[in-house]
Amino acid sequence: MKDKDLQVATATPAPRTRVQGRRGRPPKSAGPSGTSELILDVAEDLFSKHGLHGVSIRDVANEAGVDTALLHYYFGTKRGLFDAVVKRRSEILNIDRMASLDAYAREAGDQLTTEGVIDAFLQPLLYWGEKGGPGWKHYFALISQANANPVWGGETMARYFDTVIHRLIDLLKESLPGARDEDLYWAYHNLSGALTLTIGETGRLDRLSDGLCRSGDLKTAYTVMTRFAAAGFRAVCARA
Amino acid sequence: MKDKDLQVATATPAPRTRVQGRRGRPPKSAGPSGTSELILDVAEDLFSKHGLHGVSIRDVANEAGVDTALLHYYFGTKRGLFDAVVKRRSEILNIDRMASLDAYAREAGDQLTTEGVIDAFLQPLLYWGEKGGPGWKHYFALISQANANPVWGGETMARYFDTVIHRLIDLLKESLPGARDEDLYWAYHNLSGALTLTIGETGRLDRLSDGLCRSGDLKTAYTVMTRFAAAGFRAVCARA
DNA sequence: GTCTATAAGATGATAGAC
DNA sequence: GTCTATCATCTTATAGAC
């Protein structure tokens, strides 16, 4: 890691979701609440760009302006640091997503629509992607790459996200009476792939479309994804 | 890279696609045609599992049963080796995919369907994924991860794959009269994500569905993807 | 909590013999 | 083409001072 393409990750202003507030740590208002949070922000940025093996603890320590020994003091090993980065925001995200799905199910009653369920599932991601600042963008890029990793990606994703995804699939099943479980899972696989690519914001689409579309235009990305996926779910799950 | 989860990548028997034959190197029948091909096979396997930075040239040399100096002799630098791995099969794939799209366009004439175009685009991937052996599976997993990388992924993908994707989008445009370019690109973005996740075969779906669906069931994966994406394209591109 | 110092080993790359 | 030998550097991690 010799690149110098790094602007320090400023902290997230801990906004509330449209669904419910959150607790956890003492709400120290804004800014990295301490050195360990600063280290996490820097590590999150670097890991999201170069992967676990592409970043040394020296890179992180230098960029954070502290010594490597301090990283070991806080997180034990390099892998411990990486795991702490993944864990931090995924806990927030899971609470938000579950709350969003629950709120929609409550409001819609038996009038669930496939679009509505998918929208409720995606809203927290759109929210944090747009309003969470660079830290959340780095986190999403990191998750996007973890999801593509064949060795530890599958296990990591399962550990952190399976619960909320099962809740999603349950609601989708309600919105698609008679759908077979296999079809629901396969259809979700397609949505999951699109979502993974979206949160990565790799700029791939920008280049491909010669600037016509921008990866960073999350509002459009999520609007299109909802429409695309809802039609896809119906088509896949409709077969008698 | 300390893992020992590695079975040596046996070579691909250079099959022909259903669309057209291929040339290139002297068709030395089967097996790694030489030491450099063996090195590429091993590197492909390891890189696909641990990424560029997760594998040392010593790992590759040891697994291939040669000295590290030999890798430098053939490929110059570690990055040169990585690039050679990516390039090798992408050239084959591009020829196949372009030929498949051209053949479909010729056969269908002005009776193009969205399903038909997507199917023609995906067929070569299904073919090599099923019949290409472990080498092709490793290559696909590698591409899947490259596509998720925000630093060099976008550029790498663009360099190797944009031409054939533009051809795909042109044909999709024909099959969807009146579709706006933005909508076509955004819809493709969704298909691209699903495809990326599919070729990765990470086993994520297996765990999520508790064994009901298997990532390695490529026939089903591509069948569902075609149906899902065709409906998605129509829904996204239909808005007046 | 934060630093200095340092151990113990892995890494990419090259020169040169065969 | 393939190997031996080697360099200079970077790596993670720890012990212990402040």
Side-chain angles (χ1 to χ4, degrees), chain A residues 48-229:
Chain A
S48 78
K49 290 184 172 60
H50 310 284
L52 170 63
H53 302 294
V55 178
S56 71
I57 59 165
R58 285 172 126 82
D59 293 329
V60 178
N62 288 345
E63 196 61 45
V66 299
D67 192 87
T68 61
L70 203 53
L71 309 208
H72 286 107
Y73 170 76
Y74 278 120
F75 305 103
T77 65
K78 180 182 172 182
R79 184 55 196 255
L81 172 60
F82 185 86
D83 290 342
V85 167
V86 173
K87 188 174 182 185
R88 182 170 55 155
R89 301 194 204 269
S90 64
E91 287 175 345
I92 296 170
L93 207 50
N94 276 329
I95 291 172
D96 281 8
R97 291 210 280 183
M98 198 60 92
S100 182
L101 285 172
D102 287 345
Y104 175 73
R106 196 170 50 245
E107 292 162 14
D110 54 358
Q111 304 292 313
L112 284 172
T113 66
T114 306
E115 271 89 353
V117 174
I118 294 173
D119 181 64
F121 178 68
L122 296 180
Q123 277 302 324
L125 299 169
L126 172 60
Y127 176 83
W128 288 110
E130 278 190 323
K131 307 276 169 52
W136 274 92
K137 286 200 182 284
H138 300 149
Y139 166 77
F140 282 132
L142 187 59
I143 293 299
S144 175
Q145 287 173 91
N147 199 33
N149 185 289
V151 179
W152 45 270
E155 192 217 341
T156 304
M157 292 295 100
R159 180 149 33 96
Y160 287 112
F161 298 120
D162 270 13
T163 306
V164 67
I165 292 169
H166 278 128
R167 175 75 171 133
L168 164 72
I169 290 179
D170 284 346
L171 292 179
L172 284 170
K173 196 181 170 81
E174 277 190 53
S175 81
L176 293 161
R180 302 187 317 168
D181 282 355
E182 295 100 299
D183 292 336
L184 282 165
Y185 279 111
W186 274 114
Y188 168 74
H189 175 259
N190 282 264
L191 169 58
S192 174
L195 177 56
T196 299
L197 193 59
T198 299
I199 67 176
E201 292 190 43
T202 62
R204 168 108 184 80
L205 187 62
D206 309 50
R207 215 165 315 197
L208 182 69
S209 70
D210 199 23
L212 194 62
C213 307
R214 287 165 297 112
S215 299
D217 179 5
L218 294 181
K219 193 98 180 76
T220 302
Y222 282 98
T223 302
V224 171
M225 203 185 333
T226 303
R227 184 187 285 247
F228 189 97

Side-chain angles (χ1 to χ4, degrees), chain B residues 29-44:
Chain B
S29 68
S33 45
T35 309
S36 76
E37 290 290 313
L38 170 65
I39 292 170
L40 284 173
D41 286 341
V42 171
E44 186 172 54

